[in-house]
């Protein structure tokens, strides 16, 4: 049942001094609004960065061969060497922390393109020799067909997995490419699938312009017997990547006659560490947002509490009269509390709604592939948390003033004006 | 057969302001029967209002006893005090003490609000009481639109709406002209005839004369008290 008298009172007191009410409400509004906007912006930043990373295995590292920087065992410095397929086994057998070692060979050299032809269409693409394990390290979305499998490798099959950009350039729109043949380096390859990258931005563009063939086939076609350009290494989930790094280098150094201290002979990229840094950064940003947001909100709450105290002083006589005609302390406290809760809830919810609205607006205005900012969002749970904070703070802001209202004797309240 | 509605034994009350203590009521004994109409007189500062506030449970006392009916009113918690004020007592103030943003009808209905009577029902009852005090046409006016006499009649209707056992009025005619004062007193008589005990604080002799019993306070004790037949009895 709606208690008309109660609402009449609430509106009456809030209308008494419109400017004061507005300023107070604005304090709460601003607190919630800022919290929502900052959380939305934080999530937008985070989503953009993680979209760029796709589903890349977070517990992994890359390592590739560079020129040696120290002479060793009769070899001069600046010697170019290559990893070999047999390194994979050596690493897997000697380092128990390792889960996957996946080799890649670059067809025609690092970032060198190869001409692909399908009927009258052609294009130059980066061809890479990969193994089926690749899909556990940096998964892609299959648009057509299947991923590479062990038989493709064992049988040196002339099978090709096209990146989406390569598919678009070589095939007609919506044409099913499966089992069709493309000419690669003058040899006919059968298309087994088409993939789309899970990464956003440049990384995704790059991956979509690649063409993947079985690792063994690539060695054969490009005439790289026993050459590996880089290893992607995944560490078992219970281990850290960092300590494995050194062990990997030690084994590879020994196998390729590299000075044990020659770190420059390896290029490496520790994705696990990058992820950790990133996670730490976002945790920091989120923490900061909450501190600032809660601080702003608290200032708003203190504002409401203050205003309630002032309103209460103005209403002392009124409350005294009401108590003289039988209002229980609960009625008086309830009346102050509901006023304060009403003020905070109304202004808090408008802050929440306008904040979410603006985030939606920004979301719609953003280009879908934006690399800086993507899908800023406030999740439902967060919205509810904020709402509960608002209502609790409304109560909190009203408690101290309402306690005061009933702590004095009714006759003192009635006489306080005279 | 009559019985006591208000019984006060050796009532003491002091006000403490800073390090000073002002002994205002110094051992009062009063017994008021159900249905009596009593006025309390005395010079300014003699403690009339202090006594009335204690009887209305708006203030506490230091020593002695105060029985409202059969109940000892002492150190009540605020919830119980509110209940007694609501059910047993109607208060009428010199300065009316109406809620400024509620109209006459809503002001009269307010005590019923605290008894959780529905809005429709309490407004209907309030209209009945406004009719009794002759203000039906003014029901929807705010207090600021009423004259002093009209305001006091609204306040009286508000004090009556709960069917209290006692009405306590602290200088109810203090802010009114003579003609209006008499009208208010006429109203009080009518109320008293319905069986409600009336206690009126005043320092106007002509007002006190309209009651059947007069109690004179002086320096916190009863100086004298007499019935309407003027048989003076010294305390
Ligand atoms: N809240 C208070 N604090 C301190 N002293 C008070 C308080 N209320 C009243 N007094 C003092 O107590 C004494 C009695 O006051 P009270 O109001 O009962 O007098 P009264 O008989 O009603 O006077 P009046 O005819 O002027 O209304 C006065 O001296 C007054 O100054
Ligand atoms: Mg007085």
């Amino acid at each position: 049942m709606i208690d008309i008298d109660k609402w009449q009172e609430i509106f009456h007191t809030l209308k008494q001094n419109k400017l004061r009410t507005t300023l107070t409400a604005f304090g709460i509004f601003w607190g919630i609004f800022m919290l929502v906007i900052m959380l939305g912006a934080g999530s937008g930043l985070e989503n953009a960065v993680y979209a760029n990373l796709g589903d890349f295995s977070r517990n992994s590292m890359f390592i590739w061969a560079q020129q040696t920087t120290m002479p060793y065992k009769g070899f001069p410095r600046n010697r170019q060497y290559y990893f070999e397929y047999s390194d994979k086994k050596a690493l897997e057998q000697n380092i128990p922390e390792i889960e996957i070692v996946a080799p890649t060979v670059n067809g025609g050299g690092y970032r060198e393109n190869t001409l692909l032809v399908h009927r009258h269409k052609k294009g130059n693409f980066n061809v890479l020799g990969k193994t089926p394990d690749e899909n556990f390290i940096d998964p892609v979305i299959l648009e057509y067909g299947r991923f590479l499998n062990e038989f493709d490798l064992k049988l040196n099959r002339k099978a090709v997995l096209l990146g989406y950009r390569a598919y678009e350039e070589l095939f007609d729109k919506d044409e099913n490419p499966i089992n069709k043949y493309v000419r690669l380096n003058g040899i006919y390859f059968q298309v087994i699938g088409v993939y789309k990258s899970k990464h956003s931005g440049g990384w995704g563009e790059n991956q979509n312009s690649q063409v993947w063939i079985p690792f063994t086939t690539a060695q054969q076609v490009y005439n790289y017997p026993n050459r590996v350009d880089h290893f992607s290494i995944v560490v078992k989930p219970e281990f850290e990547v960092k300590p494995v790094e050194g062990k990997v280098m030690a084994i590879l150094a020994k196998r390729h006659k590299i000075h044990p201290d020659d770190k420059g002979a390896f290029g490496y990229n520790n994705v696990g560490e990058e992820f950790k840094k990133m996670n730490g950064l976002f945790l920091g940003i989120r923490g900061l947002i909450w501190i600032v947001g809660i601080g702003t909100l608290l200032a708003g709450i203190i504002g409401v509490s203050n205003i309630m105290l002032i309103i209460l002083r103005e209403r002392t006589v009124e409350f005294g009269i009401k108590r003289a005609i039988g209002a229980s302390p609960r009625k008086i406290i309830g009346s102050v509390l509901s006023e304060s809760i009403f003020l905070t809830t109304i202004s808090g919810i408008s802050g929440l709604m306008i904040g979410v609205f603006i985030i939606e607006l920004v979301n719609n205005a953003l280009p879908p592939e934006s690399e800086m900012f993507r899908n800023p969002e406030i999740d439902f749970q967060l919205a509810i948390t904020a709402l509960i904070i608002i209502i609790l703070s409304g109560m909190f802001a009203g408690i101290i003033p309402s306690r005061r209202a009933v702590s004095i004797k009714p006759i003192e309240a009635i006489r306080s004006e005279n | 057969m009559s019985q006591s509605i208000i019984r006060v034994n050796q009532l003491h009350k002091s006000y403490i302001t800073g390090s000073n203590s002002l002994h205002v009521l110094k051992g009062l004994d009063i017994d008021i029967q159900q249905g009596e109409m009593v006025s309390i007189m005395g010079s300014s500062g003699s403690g009339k209002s202090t006594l009335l506030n204690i009887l209305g449970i708006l203030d506490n006392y230091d020593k002695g006893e105060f029985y409202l009916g059969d109940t000892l009113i002492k150190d009540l918690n605020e919830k119980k005090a509110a209940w007694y004020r609501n059910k047993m007592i109607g208060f009428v103030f010199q300065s009316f003490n109406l809620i400024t943003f509620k109209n006459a009808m809503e002001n009269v209905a307010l005590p019923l609000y605290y008894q959780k009577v529905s809005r429709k029902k309490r407004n209907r009852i309030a209209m009945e009481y406004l009719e009794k005090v002759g203000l039906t046409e003014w029901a929807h006016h705010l207090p600021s639109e009423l004259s002093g006499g009209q305001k006091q009649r609204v306040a009286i209707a508000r004090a009556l709406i709960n069917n209290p056992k006692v009405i306590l009025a602290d200088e109810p005619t203090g802010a009114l002209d003579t003609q209006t004062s008499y009208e208010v007193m006429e109203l009080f008589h009518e109320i008293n005839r319905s069986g409600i005990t009336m206690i009126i604080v005043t320092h106007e002799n002509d007002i006190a004369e309209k009651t059947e019993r007069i109690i004179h306070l002086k320096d916190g004790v009863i100086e004298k008290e007499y019935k309407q037949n003027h048989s003076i009895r010294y305390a």
Side-chain angles (χ1 to χ4, degrees):
Chain A
M1 200 190 85
I2 298 164
D3 188 338
I4 295 172
D5 289 63
K6 191 162 156 181
W7 289 102
Q8 182 195 32
E9 243 166 67
I10 290 175
F11 287 122
H12 171 78
T13 22
L14 295 180
K15 269 195 311 202
Q16 280 295 65
N17 193 329
K18 290 203 187 75
L19 179 68
R20 186 176 68 190
T21 304
T22 311
L23 286 176
T24 311
F26 186 76
I28 291 282
F29 167 84
W30 193 246
I32 291 285
F33 178 77
M34 284 309 285
L35 186 66
V36 167
I37 290 291
M38 287 191 302
L39 284 170
S43 85
L45 211 66
E46 210 172 313
N47 287 343
V49 169
Y50 285 129
N52 189 256
L53 292 173
D55 278 346
F56 205 100
S57 171
R58 298 182 181 203
N59 217 17
S60 59
M61 61 176 280
F62 287 121
I63 189 157
W64 61 92
Q66 298 186 150
Q67 291 184 349
T68 58
T69 60
M70 292 180 191
Y72 190 56
K73 288 201 172 162
F75 290 107
R77 56 197 292 251
N78 295 337
R79 169 175 64 101
Q80 179 67 58
Y81 71 101
Y82 293 103
F83 295 153
E84 295 171 4
Y85 190 73
S86 54
D87 292 334
K88 172 178 154 77
K89 257 216 176 77
L91 291 172
E92 283 170 347
Q93 279 170 355
N94 292 307
I95 306 174
E97 292 95 322
I98 285 183
E99 178 143 48
I100 299 171
V101 177
T104 296
V105 61
N106 302 331
Y110 182 63
R111 295 211 163 169
E112 288 295 332
N113 286 345
T114 306
L115 181 71
L116 268 80
V117 183
H118 171 243
R119 290 205 303 257
H120 57 280
K121 297 191 169 190
K122 53 182 135 185
N124 284 293
F125 302 102
N126 186 205
V127 176
L128 299 172
K130 298 248 182 214
T131 61
D133 281 341
E134 191 66 26
N135 210 23
F136 293 103
I137 298 169
D138 187 10
V140 289
I141 304 159
L142 276 175
E143 292 289 313
Y144 288 103
R146 61 169 178 86
F147 205 75
L148 296 166
N149 66 28
E150 290 299 335
F151 294 109
D152 297 331
L153 266 80
K154 276 216 175 73
L155 304 173
N156 291 358
R157 271 184 187 154
K158 306 287 183 291
V160 63
L161 192 61
L162 298 174
Y164 201 74
R165 180 116 357 265
Y167 159 72
E168 282 178 326
E169 286 194 33
L170 294 174
F171 288 86
D172 292 335
K173 196 168 166 12
D174 293 330
E175 184 180 352
N176 186 344
I178 301 301
N179 292 337
K180 302 216 166 118
Y181 286 89
V182 294
R183 221 166 67 223
L184 187 158
N185 234 2
I187 302 164
Y188 280 96
F189 276 69
Q190 195 173 25
V191 176
I192 59 162
V194 173
Y195 67 83
K196 245 185 194 165
S197 174
K198 286 190 170 185
H199 299 285
S200 68
W203 192 341
E205 273 303 300
N206 202 21
Q207 206 174 32
N208 281 331
S209 307
Q210 291 172 357
V211 170
W212 295 349
I213 60 177
F215 174 76
T216 47
T217 314
Q219 284 189 324
Q220 207 179 53
V221 169
Y222 289 94
N223 199 17
Y224 295 142
N226 219 7
R227 166 169 157 184
V228 170
D229 282 297
H230 75 253
F231 283 113
S232 308
I233 299 170
V234 179
V235 173
K236 288 174 184 156
E238 62 267 33
F239 296 108
E240 295 266 329
V241 183
K242 190 88 190 146
V244 174
E245 215 174 73
K247 291 188 189 179
V248 167
M249 284 188 220
I251 287 172
L252 291 174
K254 206 164 175 188
R255 290 176 59 83
H256 295 280
K257 302 193 172 56
I258 293 161
H259 193 285
D261 295 331
D262 189 358
K263 295 282 182 256
F266 303 103
Y268 61 92
N269 189 345
N270 187 333
V271 183
E273 284 298 302
E274 302 283 316
F275 266 108
K276 253 205 259 167
K277 269 188 222 156
M278 211 106 73
N279 279 339
L281 181 71
F282 285 126
L283 202 71
I285 290 179
R286 241 175 287 154
L288 204 68
I289 286 172
W290 277 102
I291 290 171
V292 173
I294 297 283
T296 319
L297 205 58
L298 207 65
I301 294 167
I302 291 169
V304 173
S305 194
N306 239 329
I307 288 303
M308 292 319 290
L309 269 176
I310 295 171
I311 288 179
L312 212 92
R313 197 163 305 147
E314 287 169 1
R315 293 181 69 188
T316 308
V317 178
E318 180 197 325
F319 286 146
I321 296 168
K322 287 180 170 172
R323 289 169 70 194
I325 59 175
S328 62
R330 228 168 114 177
K331 270 277 174 208
I332 301 289
I333 291 177
S335 139
V336 180
L337 272 190
S338 46
E339 212 169 286
S340 143
I341 290 173
F342 175 76
L343 194 64
T344 42
T345 307
I346 287 292
S347 42
I349 286 178
S350 13
L352 193 68
M353 289 202 304
I354 294 176
V356 169
F357 177 74
I358 286 181
I359 284 176
E360 281 302 311
L361 223 61
V362 169
N363 205 355
N364 288 337
L366 279 179
E369 290 297 310
S370 166
E371 254 192 277
M372 283 304 294
F373 210 73
R374 169 181 284 242
N375 290 339
E377 60 198 352
I378 291 293
D379 61 42
F380 187 67
Q381 205 182 328
L382 209 67
I384 294 299
T385 312
L387 209 65
I388 290 172
I389 293 177
I390 298 164
I391 294 178
L392 283 182
S393 51
M395 278 170 67
F396 177 75
I399 281 172
I400 301 167
S402 62
R403 277 291 160 84
R404 243 192 215 195
V406 290
S407 65
I408 58 169
K409 284 187 281 187
I411 191 63
E412 281 168 12
I414 293 173
R415 269 201 301 230
S416 66
E417 196 179 37
N418 314 328
Chain B
M1 189 196 137
S2 58
Q3 64 183 109
S4 297
I5 182 68
I6 281 176
R7 198 149 47 82
V8 162
N9 300 329
Q10 282 304 303
L11 189 75
H12 286 264
K13 167 80 178 173
S14 301
Y15 288 114
I16 293 156
T17 40
S19 55
N20 294 343
S21 169
L22 184 66
H23 199 172
V24 179
L25 301 181
K26 302 167 181 167
L28 291 183
D29 293 306
I30 301 171
D31 192 332
I32 293 170
Q33 304 294 301
Q34 177 81 61
E36 270 193 289
M37 186 152 180
V38 183
S39 55
I40 298 173
M41 297 195 73
S43 55
S44 187
S46 56
K48 306 182 293 293
S49 295
T50 305
L51 173 63
L52 210 68
N53 292 336
I54 291 171
L55 299 184
I57 330 181
L58 299 179
D59 204 347
N60 51 13
Y61 56 96
D62 305 327
K63 246 166 55 184
E65 286 161 336
F66 162 34
Y67 286 93
L68 182 63
D70 296 326
T71 319
L72 175 64
I73 304 293
K74 192 164 199 173
D75 302 326
L76 293 187
N77 66 34
E78 183 51 30
K79 192 180 157 199
K80 274 210 178 112
W83 189 88
Y84 281 109
R85 280 177 217 135
N86 190 257
K87 294 280 185 186
M88 305 282 281
I89 298 163
F91 224 102
V92 178
F93 301 90
Q94 177 176 2
S95 53
F96 323 123
N97 283 338
L98 300 176
I99 307 290
T100 50
F101 57 87
K102 287 182 185 289
N103 66 30
M105 179 184 70
E106 289 165 337
N107 261 290
V108 173
L110 202 54
L112 295 181
Y113 173 65
Y114 300 123
Q115 289 177 11
K116 298 188 170 63
V117 177
S118 76
R119 184 177 169 85
K120 218 169 131 191
K121 189 174 172 195
R122 62 176 190 263
N123 282 349
R124 202 193 67 228
I125 300 173
M127 286 308 291
E128 285 170 23
Y129 278 87
L130 277 177
E131 198 189 334
K132 277 188 194 174
V133 298
L135 286 177
T136 311
E137 284 137 64
W138 297 89
H140 298 286
H141 286 254
L142 290 177
S144 55
E145 298 157 354
L146 301 178
S147 73
Q150 287 170 331
K151 280 189 230 180
Q152 197 59 301
R153 281 188 284 163
V154 171
I156 292 166
R158 184 178 67 183
L160 280 175
I161 198 164
N162 272 345
N163 270 321
K165 292 271 185 297
V166 196
I167 289 209
L168 303 171
D170 193 351
E171 304 194 31
T173 59
L176 306 176
D177 61 42
T178 316
Q179 182 54 39
T180 321
S181 297
Y182 288 171
E183 282 169 23
V184 165
M185 285 311 290
E186 197 41 57
L187 194 54
F188 280 164
H189 269 287
E190 222 173 279
I191 294 163
N192 181 239
R193 276 197 290 276
S194 75
I196 296 173
T197 312
M198 300 283 318
I199 303 175
I200 301 160
V201 165
T202 181
H203 39 225
E204 294 160 81
N205 279 316
D206 52 341
I207 294 296
E209 233 121 75
K210 293 183 184 299
T211 65
E212 53 193 40
R213 179 176 165 197
I214 301 173
I215 298 172
H216 272 270
L217 287 191
K218 191 181 181 187
D219 295 333
V221 291
I222 294 175
E223 182 193 20
K224 59 187 175 187
E225 75 168 275
Y226 46 88
K227 300 266 180 174
Q228 203 195 19
N229 59 15
H230 300 290
S231 59
I232 300 172
R233 194 183 77 188
Y234 288 89

